[in-house]
Amino acid sequence: MSSLPLPPSLPALFTPHLPPSSSPPSSRPFLTLTFATSLDSSLSLAPGVRTTLSGPASKTMTHYLRSQHASILIGVGTALADDPGLNCRIAGCASPRPIVLDPRGRWGFTEDAKVLQLARAGEGKAPFVFVGGGVEIDEGRRAVLERHGGKYVVMGTDERGRFAWVDVLAAIQREGLGSVMVEGGGEVINSLLRAPENELVDSVIVTIAPTWLGQGGVVVSPERTGEPVRLTGVEWHPLGEDIVLCGKILR
Ligand SMILES: NC(=O)c1ccc[n+]([C@@H]2O[C@H](COP(=O)([O-])OP(=O)(O)OC[C@H]3O[C@@H](n4cnc5c(N)ncnc54)[C@H](O)[C@@H]3O)[C@@H](O)[C@H]2O)c1
Ligand SMILES: Nc1nc(=O)c(N)c(NC[C@H](O)[C@H](O)[C@H](O)COP(=O)(O)O)[nH]1
């Protein structure tokens, strides 16, 4: 796969918003929430539809962000819709460990999944798939995953069949992964932006693309469980025709 050139100015712009390179041991991983949105707050044209929003410059930034995290997390809806690679395509950069939240065991991947193709080629890592305790794991699929260096991680779920975010972060920490870049999709982002879960978010980096996707898209708009969620310490960085918003959630 062709690699993306890293503009020399990019790292300095984003370093203040990324996991510190050396820090005292922490009780949970550093969490960066990052995604690309349209002007009408959509992530994609419809659930299950892969939709390109980032232009080339902000896409390179996303790959740089991937290189700066130990892990990258998506929901199974994104795994099913996008068949993502979840690696870093900047030459010489380390790829993060993909984590897929799949509480009901819906992800029926084969070894043709892009993330596994990349792992086989040494261009990425195989995923850790977090499944709910009640899921009957297909042994063939478990073997495929483990052959590539991935695995299933079994987790408890709440009455709605969800994982608690504190449990997700504790499991990531147990795997020795000190940081996580949460990339989407809609359910994952909205469940993390609501209070009190948003206390777990250390940094927010949003690419805003100059387009309206129209009604019917997968929208970022968290359930209102407290005060409006506002960013502070904000920086706006134009990248190509997009603008990238960085900040921290105001406590
Ligand atoms: N523009 C972007 O940056 C971006 C990023 C990612 C995905 N997307 C798009 O978003 C769409 C997918 O979004 P979506 O909302 O359908 O799916 P999603 O990726 O958020 O996955 C939803 C599923 O993840 C699991 N999940 C989510 N939160 C959980 C929690 N707290 N505990 C346990 N499980 C949890 C559940 O099984 C849920 O059904 C796709 O169209 C994709 O292309 C866009
Ligand atoms: N930054 C960003 N801009 C976009 O326009 C877009 N659609 C995504 N979507 C994020 C989601 O996690 C996708 O699944 C991966 O972007 C798939 O991409 P890869 O195959 O891993 O390169 N992310």
Side-chain angles (χ1 to χ4, degrees):
M1 195 173 284
S2 64
S3 66
L4 299 164
L6 177 66
S9 58
L10 207 82
L13 292 181
F14 293 96
T15 298
H17 306 283
L18 292 172
S21 49
S22 67
S23 60
S26 160
S27 57
R28 61 171 180 80
F30 186 101
L31 192 160
T32 306
L33 179 60
T34 180
F35 55 90
T37 180
S38 67
L39 295 175
D40 43 0
S41 202
S42 276
L43 296 170
S44 66
L45 282 163
V49 177
R50 184 175 179 141
T51 307
T52 298
L53 285 165
S54 304
S58 55
K59 184 176 186 154
T60 302
M61 178 217 56
T62 294
H63 280 259
Y64 175 69
L65 300 186
R66 288 179 176 188
S67 75
Q68 299 301 302
H69 290 82
S71 63
I72 179 169
L73 182 150
I74 57 164
V76 65
T78 300
L80 293 170
D82 292 7
D83 185 23
L86 302 173
N87 66 340
C88 174
R89 293 214 297 279
I90 296 167
C93 277
S95 286
R97 170 70 64 185
I99 292 168
V100 179
L101 297 190
D102 188 11
R104 295 198 172 87
R106 289 161 61 207
W107 192 25
F109 59 84
T110 68
E111 57 184 15
D112 291 336
K114 192 168 150 201
V115 68
L116 294 178
Q117 289 186 34
L118 290 168
R120 274 202 297 286
E123 294 175 24
K125 295 192 173 84
F128 291 174
V129 184
F130 286 18
V131 291
V135 169
E136 206 168 303
I137 295 171
D138 178 285
E139 288 307 322
R141 208 164 272 133
R142 189 204 296 273
V144 167
L145 205 49
E146 291 181 358
R147 204 164 52 241
H148 289 78
K151 62 178 172 182
Y152 283 107
V153 175
V154 179
M155 308 258 299
T157 52
D158 64 16
E159 60 291 348
R160 289 183 304 166
R162 292 267 184 98
F163 304 134
W165 276 104
V166 279
D167 293 346
V168 171
L169 292 188
I172 292 172
Q173 181 89 347
R174 277 197 298 278
E175 297 298 338
L177 301 163
S179 58
V180 59
M181 166 171 170
V182 175
E183 219 180 63
E187 270 193 63
V188 163
I189 295 167
N190 286 324
S191 70
L192 200 46
L193 275 177
R194 72 197 283 281
E197 286 82 351
N198 63 33
E199 285 171 16
L200 301 168
V201 177
D202 295 296
S203 178
V204 178
I205 302 178
V206 181
T207 295
I208 302 166
T211 181
W212 288 272
L213 290 181
Q215 292 168 23
V218 175
V219 170
V220 174
S221 181
E223 185 189 351
R224 201 181 291 161
T225 50
E227 295 297 310
V229 185
R230 192 189 155 88
L231 294 180
T232 186
V234 161
E235 288 175 9
W236 299 86
H237 297 299
L239 283 185
E241 295 197 326
D242 302 333
I243 190 150
V244 179
L245 162 65
C246 307
K248 286 187 188 321
I249 292 177
L250 181 64
R251 310 285 177 210

